Amino acid sequence: GAGVSQTPSNKVTEKGKYVELRCDPISGHTALYWYRQSLGQGPEFLIYFQGTGAADDSGLPNDRFFAVRPEGSVSTLKIQRTERGDSAVYLCASGTSGADTQYFGPGTRLTVL
Amino acid sequence: SQQGEEDPQALSIQEGENATMNCSYKTSINNLQWYRQNSGRGLVHLILIRSNEREKHSGRLRVTLDTSKKSSSLLITASRAADTASYFCAPRYNNTDMRFGAGTRLTVKP
């Protein structure tokens, strides 16, 4: 079956612009995670959804970052007033509820010029 | 939330040798998972070991879990150049978020 997909695969934007990154989880998965990863670092947790609600958004670095999952499937990560330091690979993962295996998408590489 | 810490940070071996990576964590778990990442893209799930298990095998992978020491190890036997990647552990407890450490960067030289 289809895995987790993320669009776009690459996004180049200018400092100060707004961007949206999309994640399509595996059908039926209630848990959805967003991470960002800088070169040479491990994935940094951003936010975790169970269904439509954010169960834990403690990883969002500041109020420029926001994520939604209105129907409990597709999620969008929104970044306002982008900064050069936001450049990273943004990873999405989904899974069934509980603590079982998470399946990762290929990521979106965001470059802020 | 839980976060695993992998050790060593980097490991370089020759093809055919075994590679051992360790993970430590701090609180109780339901299970612990190991993931592999190539080229900074999506992580791939390798193996899950539950808290009531002590050892698990999958092909050339062997994972051990010591809940009394709050540690796990991943052994890759007869390594191949294609095993070159970063390896991460993820200790899990119920419906909690999943966080990663910096990982172990494994290089297998042909």
Side-chain angles (χ1 to χ4, degrees):
Chain A
V4 178
S5 63
Q6 292 186 246
T7 54
S9 56
N10 287 283
K11 175 71 177 178
V12 179
T13 190
E14 293 180 342
K15 181 176 179 295
K17 299 288 190 183
Y18 168 83
V19 296
E20 289 189 352
L21 310 178
R22 176 185 168 110
C23 173
D24 280 86
I26 292 171
S27 178
H29 280 186
T30 57
L32 186 145
Y33 304 78
W34 282 100
Y35 299 85
R36 72 176 174 180
Q37 187 174 28
S38 301
L39 193 63
Q41 304 296 315
E44 175 193 1
F45 169 79
L46 296 177
I47 187 168
Y48 159 52
F49 287 92
Q50 269 290 357
T52 60
D56 186 346
D57 64 358
S58 62
L60 295 176
N62 51 61
D63 61 6
R64 294 187 299 104
F65 288 75
F66 189 70
V68 295
R69 195 184 184 200
E71 297 178 359
S73 56
V74 170
S75 177
T76 304
L77 178 65
K78 308 180 181 192
I79 310 175
Q80 299 177 323
R81 305 183 303 280
T82 51
E83 300 177 356
R84 292 195 179 87
D86 298 336
S87 295
V89 175
Y90 288 80
L91 297 167
C92 173
S94 73
T96 58
S97 63
D100 284 335
T101 301
Q102 304 301 316
Y103 298 87
F104 280 79
T108 293
R109 185 178 300 280
L110 175 66
T111 303
V112 181
L113 301 176
Chain B
S1 64
Q2 288 270 20
Q3 179 171 316
E5 295 296 339
E6 298 86 359
D7 173 70
Q9 291 185 339
L11 181 60
S12 182
I13 59 175
Q14 294 294 134
E15 208 164 28
E17 294 180 340
N18 296 342
T20 300
M21 289 159 268
N22 303 298
C23 169
S24 59
Y25 58 92
K26 292 200 166 109
T27 59
S28 298
I29 60 171
N30 289 121
N31 66 65
L32 186 140
Q33 301 168 31
W34 284 90
Y35 289 80
R36 183 186 70 218
Q37 185 180 41
N38 294 87
S39 305
R41 300 300 266 195
L43 281 71
V44 174
H45 178 260
L46 293 177
I47 197 164
L48 180 155
I49 186 166
R50 300 197 183 277
S51 59
N52 61 353
E53 298 175 310
R54 291 295 167 260
E55 187 170 313
K56 199 160 182 180
H57 297 253
S58 176
R60 294 184 296 111
L61 305 181
R62 172 180 167 247
V63 168
T64 61
L65 179 65
D66 187 335
T67 53
S68 66
K69 294 182 179 177
K70 294 186 170 58
S71 67
S72 174
S73 67
L74 171 66
L75 169 68
I76 303 174
T77 59
S79 63
R80 305 168 182 168
D83 295 328
T84 294
S86 292
Y87 292 81
F88 298 90
C89 68
R92 302 300 309 281
Y93 182 76
N94 289 343
N95 293 331
T96 58
D97 55 67
M98 184 167 69
R99 302 186 185 226
F100 296 92
T104 292
R105 174 68 190 170
L106 173 66
T107 302
V108 181
K109 299 176 186 174

